[in-house]
Each structure stands twice: as C-alpha cells, then as structure tokens.
Amino acid sequence: MKKYEDVPYFDEARLTLICKKLYAQELKEECFIDKDIIDEWYPERDYHIMYVVEIEKILEK
C-alpha cells in the first residue's frame, strides 16, 4: 500500500483520486425514484452513504 501525504491507496491502481469530502448522507429507501433498484441492489436494505467530494489531486501511473 502506498501513501500520498496521509492518504493510503493501492499500489495496483492505475488512477487514484485524492478527494476532500464536502457532504455525506445515508441513502434512504423513501428517496429512491426507481424502486426496482432497491430489491436488485439492496435486498438486505444495507444502504450506502453517498458522498459529494472535491477532487484535489489525480495520481496516474
């Protein structure tokens, strides 16, 4: 595992985005417009957290 400043990233990565988190929110079932996505991708209702970020640096091999 490599590091850029204090940010770890994979040695095998061809492209790494170093980002600053600006906003985070848990996905909520009632906010899905296409309800078919829920059963297909979240059958256990284990929703992700959505992040909005600002790309600060792009590392490319």
Side-chain angles (χ1 to χ4, degrees):
M1 176 120 352
K2 291 185 175 183
K3 281 195 173 190
Y4 173 80
E5 296 178 358
D6 290 333
V7 180
Y9 67 96
F10 295 105
D11 295 332
E12 301 85 4
R14 291 185 297 121
L15 185 71
T16 300
L17 303 177
I18 307 297
C19 300
K20 174 183 173 184
K21 287 187 274 185
L22 302 175
Y23 179 84
Q25 179 176 328
E26 290 185 28
L27 295 179
K28 297 178 183 172
E29 187 166 336
E30 62 270 15
C31 294
F32 281 89
I33 295 168
D34 183 351
K35 303 296 184 191
D36 295 334
I37 293 172
I38 297 170
D39 288 331
E40 183 177 354
W41 296 105
Y42 301 101
E44 297 177 26
R45 305 304 191 254
D46 54 341
Y47 300 114
H48 292 88
I49 297 174
M50 176 183 63
Y51 292 94
V52 175
V53 300
E54 176 183 338
I55 298 172
E56 294 187 325
K57 183 86 173 167
I58 300 173
L59 307 175
E60 186 175 17
K61 277 190 181 176

